[in-house]
Structures are given as structure tokens and as C-alpha cells.
Amino acid sequence: MNKTDTFTLTFKERNTQGSSISCSPYSYATLTQLIQDISRTTIPETSCLYSMYAQLIYGVNTTMYVDHEKHGHTVQPENYAEFFLTFRNSRKCPPNECIRNIAYGKCRDEYLVKKFASVLFPLFYNKQKVK
């Protein structure tokens, strides 16, 4: 793995038809540290978040084509991470809006902001106080 490798991140609310948010680039170090840090905690009962599942994929997508007129192949990195969040019924925002609120700096859940959002979206969260 190269130090310059970057990853696209997608996160989505599990068990809903809501939208997913894709954002990039994130370094391997940032994403693996985030996954490790979150995996060492438990979610407090006061959080909107009920559970979270994540995976980090590091790979290469190789394709080829050939016909009677042309031929060739491509090799492209396929680096991505996915986070799937499940929220409690007592969430602080309406269903299908939680993901957007996290991505746009509007989340007010102390656990989510401290452990997740402030790492991924520091421009929105590092200077604000969570109530």
C-alpha cells in the first residue's frame, strides 16, 4: 500500500431507503484509525446511534476488452470504505436525514460527533460545542 493511496468513503443508514453520502479522499491511516477507535468503544444509551458496521476495501480492478477492431486493458485502484449506521427510534432528527446532517455539520449527538463526524468532517465539527 502506498502512502498516497486514498479511499472513497460511503456511509448510509441501514435498513432504510434513504440516501447514502459519498465523500473523498481519505487516507488509509485516517480510516483505519477511525475504525480501530470506534471498535474500542461502546455506544452510550443516550446516543441516537444504535449500531455501526464498517468495512475498508483495498484492491485493484483490472478490465480488458478485445474485438475485431480494437483491444486494451485498464488497471484502476478500487479503494473504498463503507460505514452503515443504524439509529434508535429516539433519534434527534427525522429518519433519512441523519446521514445528511452528519455530513453537513448539523449532527448534535455527542457520541457521533466526537467519535465519527469530527474525524471525517473536521471543518464542520472541530470548533463547535455539542449540546
Side-chain angles (χ1 to χ4, degrees), residues 14-33:
R14 282 183 104 163
N15 306 321
T16 69
Q17 297 298 320
S19 62
S20 63
I21 301 288
S22 293
C23 42
S24 65
Y26 290 96
S27 71
Y28 175 80
T30 297
L31 293 174
T32 56
Q33 188 66 54

Side-chain angles (χ1 to χ4, degrees), residues 87-111:
F87 295 97
R88 299 178 195 278
N89 289 334
S90 59
R91 68 179 87 200
K92 297 175 184 175
C93 54
N96 300 320
E97 288 185 27
C98 291
I99 298 298
R100 277 193 307 273
N101 287 344
I102 292 168
Y104 298 121
K106 296 178 181 178
C107 183
R108 298 295 174 250
D109 183 278
E110 184 177 358
Y111 176 83

Side-chain angles (χ1 to χ4, degrees), residues 9 18 31-32 39 41 46 90:
L9 169 68
L31 293 174
T32 56
S39 72
T41 68
T46 56
S90 59

Side-chain angles (χ1 to χ4, degrees), residues 43-107:
I43 300 170
E45 297 268 338
T46 56
S47 177
C48 296
L49 186 67
Y50 179 75
S51 66
M52 183 185 302
Y53 169 80
Q55 63 181 0
L56 181 67
I57 308 296
Y58 179 75
V60 175
N61 182 8
T62 303
T63 60
M64 68 77 104
Y65 57 91
V66 60
D67 64 23
H68 66 281
E69 294 178 352
K70 56 189 174 190
H71 58 87
H73 77 279
T74 61
V75 178
Q76 295 177 323
E78 211 170 68
N79 305 334
Y80 63 94
E82 297 174 317
F83 285 83
F84 299 95
L85 289 73
T86 303
F87 295 97
R88 299 178 195 278
N89 289 334
S90 59
R91 68 179 87 200
K92 297 175 184 175
C93 54
N96 300 320
E97 288 185 27
C98 291
I99 298 298
R100 277 193 307 273
N101 287 344
I102 292 168
Y104 298 121
K106 296 178 181 178
C107 183

